[in-house]
Amino acid sequence: MRIGILGAGGMADALGTRWAGAGHEIMISGRDARASAARAAKMAEMAEAAGMPGTPGITGAPGITGTPGITGTPGAPGTTGRVTAGSWAEAAAFGDVVVVAVREAGLVDVLTASGPALRGKPLVDVTNAADPAAYDPARSPALLIARLSGGHVVKAFNLCHVDVWRMRPPVFDGRPLAVPLCGDDPAALAAARTLVTDLGCTPVDGGGLARATQLEATAAFMIGLWFGGADAQAVLPPLEWSGAHTPA
Ligand SMILES: NC(=O)c1ccc[n+]([C@@H]2O[C@H](COP(=O)([O-])OP(=O)(O)OC[C@H]3O[C@@H](n4cnc5c(N)ncnc54)[C@H](OP(=O)(O)O)[C@@H]3O)[C@@H](O)[C@H]2O)c1
């Protein structure tokens, strides 16, 4: 798949490097063409190195396993996709799917500069509110992106810190990370599911795009807990204690 990424920061780097490792063609974009090109070159190098046997994944926290060279996730040597950099409009035109990975403050400018290429395309929105403490449901980045671009937005990847997306693969206590997806368009959701599974994660149906605001609120709330030093994962019970679930 050709993946255009609006953004050349941490999220573009982490996700783009993993997807290049899985064989996708990546084009990132930022405000500084030289810095973006340098980052793209580094991403290509990292994606290639990750496919080398014996290259460890990110480890370092108890219960986190980075599996080196897991089949179907990082590419084997020579199977990584190309990583290039372009303008916002070039990345928008390049992608079969376009990932929006810019700061909230830049969204309007970046979407305007991306031009009409986004119309009707699958767009994966990873953004969060700039200040989770001041989260405002009336200012949903996902709904703003849908309105300004005319693309088919799927909200995803916004619940976890960038370092999680660098893991190969994100597995905690033996359980692959589940990634909720909120979107309306079947083709865009299918593309997003592929991007999730190519990281070694499990896609979860999070409902339509209207529920993206809930995903954004969840991120803001969880980030608040994490920054307060709480284990946000511990606040939710297992499925069998969810009340709503009737085992088959
Ligand atoms: N970092 C995380 O742990 C994490 C996790 C989940 C979701 N997110 C969300 O993902 C998005 C990207 O995060 P990131 O960590 O990749 O951020 P980052 O490293 O700071 O990169 C931000 C990107 O946005 C671009 N941008 C365009 N207009 C901008 C403006 N006016 N002000 C600031 N940046 C502007 C930057 O362009 P240049 O390249 O020219 O600087 C850069 O490419 C954000 O919405 C963030 O909330 C982040």
Side-chain angles (χ1 to χ4, degrees):
M1 198 183 324
R2 284 157 65 112
I3 305 172
I5 304 184
L6 303 178
M11 287 292 278
D13 182 359
L15 291 166
T17 300
R18 293 291 321 283
W19 288 326
H24 298 292
E25 302 281 315
I26 310 294
M27 182 184 286
I28 61 169
S29 50
R31 290 169 294 187
D32 179 334
R34 278 174 61 157
S36 301
R39 175 149 270 186
K42 190 81 192 155
M43 288 168 66
E45 215 175 274
M46 295 295 286
E48 191 68 35
M52 301 294 176
T55 309
I58 287 186
T59 53
I64 297 178
T65 51
T67 310
I70 191 168
T71 315
T73 321
T79 65
T80 53
R82 260 163 35 93
V83 184
T84 55
S87 67
W88 305 114
E90 284 166 343
F94 174 85
D96 303 313
V97 53
V98 176
V99 176
V100 184
V102 296
R103 296 275 175 142
E104 189 186 25
L107 270 179
V108 174
D109 286 351
V110 169
L111 291 170
T112 305
S114 297
L118 297 177
R119 185 156 294 281
K121 258 193 194 176
L123 304 187
V124 175
D125 166 29
V126 313
T127 65
N128 274 322
D131 178 5
Y135 169 75
D136 176 359
R139 284 181 39 225
S140 162
L143 300 186
L144 177 73
I145 293 166
R147 197 170 63 248
L148 291 183
S149 68
H152 298 302
V153 175
V154 178
K155 186 97 201 175
F157 304 111
N158 67 316
L159 284 187
C160 294
H161 187 266
V162 62
D163 286 346
V164 171
W165 306 121
R166 296 187 196 282
M167 292 174 66
R168 293 182 283 119
V171 171
F172 297 92
D173 294 330
R175 194 167 61 157
L177 181 72
V179 180
L181 305 175
C182 294
D184 294 329
D185 182 71
L189 284 165
R193 277 195 292 273
T194 298
L195 296 182
V196 170
T197 51
D198 283 349
L199 298 177
C201 299
T202 307
V204 174
D205 178 6
L209 186 63
R211 287 180 65 183
T213 53
Q214 296 176 10
L215 206 43
E216 290 160 353
T218 303
F221 186 71
M222 293 299 176
I223 290 167
L225 293 183
W226 281 316
F227 280 23
D231 179 2
Q233 196 184 26
V235 306
L236 296 174
L239 180 60
E240 58 270 27
W241 287 92
S242 66
H245 177 68
T246 310

